[in-house]
Amino acid sequence: MAAPEFVNTPVRSIMRPGVVTVPGNASLTQLAQAMSAHGVHAVLVVDAGENGPAGWATSRALIARLLDGSRFVPASDAVTEMPTRILPSASIADAIRALAPAGVTHLLVTSGPSAVPQGVVSETDIVAFAASHG
């Protein structure tokens, strides 16, 4: 069976513009506030002076930390996923392949390793796009 035509759509068409970030020294409470305020389940943690982001802190990592009473540890301790980058011109098929490995749930849409990220694509974005083109 052939893949549906919509998988050739560029990632820029389905990405969520912008990236919600917190500094690595933010508390888990601040991390939770950022997730809640922006309605997202992952936030990019950035450390000042580093060449790139530390990685994604997800709601799953955050709630696990709430059980052990460690809300005031740095957000960098909640990073569970390294950033995986994808070009804005890449296809949805490319994004699906990039999301296939275990532990990859979000793609940082950027034109290069040192470029400012343009947005984020998650599994949910792809599912929503597929549902609207079914």
Side-chain angles (χ1 to χ4, degrees), residues 23-128:
N25 63 355
S27 69
L28 293 186
T29 299
Q30 291 168 313
L31 178 62
Q33 290 167 342
M35 286 180 186
S36 179
H38 295 280
V40 297
H41 61 276
V43 171
L44 194 63
V45 177
V46 294
D47 284 321
E50 295 295 320
N51 289 340
W56 296 103
T58 64
S59 55
R60 178 176 291 278
L62 176 66
I63 61 174
R65 299 304 294 255
L66 294 176
L67 288 176
D68 65 19
S70 55
R71 295 183 344 202
F72 299 105
V73 300
S76 59
D77 285 0
V79 170
T80 57
E81 181 180 339
M82 300 313 297
T84 300
R85 292 173 174 80
I86 192 163
L87 295 170
S89 59
S91 69
I92 291 175
D94 294 329
I96 292 168
R97 285 189 281 276
L99 287 164
V104 179
T105 60
H106 294 79
L107 301 175
L108 196 57
V109 181
T110 182
S111 58
S114 59
V116 174
Q118 298 173 21
V120 177
V121 172
S122 71
E123 298 162 334
T124 306
D125 299 317
I126 294 172
V127 168

